Structures are given as C-alpha cells and as structure tokens.
Amino acid sequence: SDGSLLNLKPLYSIITNIEGEHFGYFKDVKSIIEVFRKFINQTQNTGAVYLNIDDMNTRSLYSECKSKKIAYSIEDSKADIFASNIKLKSFGSEFTVVFKGRELGKMQLNIPGSHNISNSLGPIALATDIGIDFTIIKEALKDFKGVKRRFEVKADIENILIIDDYAHHPSEIAA
C-alpha cells in the first residue's frame, strides 16, 4: 500500500496480480507497476520470480525480470506451470498441475473460485523448484481452508449461508 515492499530483497517472489488501488499513496497504475518492476529485480539471482501471466500488468513485467522467472497460468498452456482439467465446485476445485511439460498430478483445493487455483500455482511452482515432493504440496493445499475475511463462511443457519468477504475493488468483487 505504500511501496515499502522495496525494502525487501527476497530470495523468491510470487506476483499474483497488479492493479489500481491505494491511490492515496500511488499516483496511478503505472506508478504501482514501476514499484513491482523494481521489486522483482531486487529478487536475489539465486532465487526466482513467479509471475501470473494471466494478469496483464504482471505479464508486462515478465520480459523485464532479470532473475530466473517462472510464468504460471490457468489460461495459457505454454506457461511454465499451468492448471488443466479444471473442475470448479461449490466450495472448492480440482485440477491437474502441469509443470515444465510434465504432469505433476491432480490437485484439490477446499476454497472456491478459479482465482484460488491461479493463486495456488505460484506456491506450487516454488515448492516444486526447491525440491518438495508433489504429494506433500498436494496434502498441504488440500488442508488449506483460506484466510480470514476472504469468502469466510461464518454460519449456515436453516439453509441461510452467511459469508464474510473483504473484497473491495472490482477484480476481487468479480472473483
């Protein structure tokens, strides 16, 4: 929200999306993209940057990344890692993970929406890159129930489902 991510020099970076918000600090979307451009190039050369190329603004930084870079996608099968055979369910999803041309296996998430499939691909790629077995990754994500105030089920009373979600800008609301 304030550009302070530039104080970090990460070993690994995952960029899910870049869009307009926090205009009390940032002048416009271009200034937000510029902060992310600097950030990804502060990622250590011994690490890697994982970029969601389904997001137009994140994709625009792919060619400028100086570190090792991994593209992930739920739309583009040419990405380094992508989800295929996607099946959305009421409160979860199933999909097959393909990493660098090799099918790793089927994944199950217990949080809803294609955006959560997309969000899972960066950590799956990173974990795979550092040598974590896919079975362990699969079990860890299967048990993940989400975070507070992101499609958080508060109650189910007499078939009335009460959900708390802090979505507050257009793409979050759409998701």
Side-chain angles (χ1 to χ4, degrees), residues 69-97:
K69 56 193 170 194
I70 302 292
Y72 68 88
S73 176
I74 62 171
E75 298 170 3
D76 186 348
S77 63
K78 292 179 184 150
D80 297 302
I81 181 169
F82 67 94
S84 67
N85 305 317
I86 295 172
K87 294 179 184 140
L88 297 175
K89 300 177 176 186
S90 296
F91 283 91
S93 62
E94 291 179 358
F95 55 98
T96 301
V97 178

Side-chain angles (χ1 to χ4, degrees), residues 2-3 7 17 19 29 61 84 94 97 105 116 118 122 138 140 143 154 156-157 164:
D2 63 0
N7 295 326
N17 69 312
E19 59 186 51
V29 175
L61 297 177
S84 67
E94 291 179 358
V97 178
N116 282 314
S118 179
K138 181 178 176 175
D143 291 339
K154 292 299 212 177
D156 186 353
I157 304 166
D164 182 14

Side-chain angles (χ1 to χ4, degrees), residues 81 99 102 104 123-134 137:
I81 181 169
F99 187 56
R102 187 181 63 142
L104 297 181
I124 292 168
L126 191 158
T128 301
D129 260 357
I130 63 172
I132 298 175
D133 186 83
F134 184 73
I137 300 167

Side-chain angles (χ1 to χ4, degrees), residues 90-156:
S90 296
F91 283 91
S93 62
E94 291 179 358
F95 55 98
T96 301
V97 178
V98 179
F99 187 56
K100 296 184 178 178
R102 187 181 63 142
E103 190 174 296
L104 297 181
K106 293 187 187 289
M107 180 67 66
Q108 178 182 334
L109 297 180
N110 289 311
I111 48 178
S114 59
H115 62 291
N116 282 314
I117 295 171
S118 179
N119 289 344
S120 74
L121 290 175
I124 292 168
L126 191 158
T128 301
D129 260 357
I130 63 172
I132 298 175
D133 186 83
F134 184 73
T135 305
I136 294 169
I137 300 167
K138 181 178 176 175
E139 287 304 311
L141 287 178
K142 182 179 174 187
D143 291 339
F144 181 65
K145 303 291 185 220
V147 296
K148 283 188 119 180
R149 304 209 58 207
R150 292 291 187 253
F151 210 82
E152 181 182 9
V153 176
K154 292 299 212 177
D156 186 353

Side-chain angles (χ1 to χ4, degrees), residues 42-88:
Q42 290 178 183
T43 300
Q44 298 174 38
N45 289 332
T46 55
V49 178
Y50 302 82
L51 299 125
N52 173 14
I53 62 168
D54 295 335
D55 176 71
M56 176 183 66
N57 292 325
T58 304
R59 179 188 285 261
S60 74
L61 297 177
Y62 183 83
S63 64
E64 299 179 41
C65 183
K66 296 172 187 162
S67 300
K68 173 184 171 186
K69 56 193 170 194
I70 302 292
Y72 68 88
S73 176
I74 62 171
E75 298 170 3
D76 186 348
S77 63
K78 292 179 184 150
D80 297 302
I81 181 169
F82 67 94
S84 67
N85 305 317
I86 295 172
K87 294 179 184 140
L88 297 175

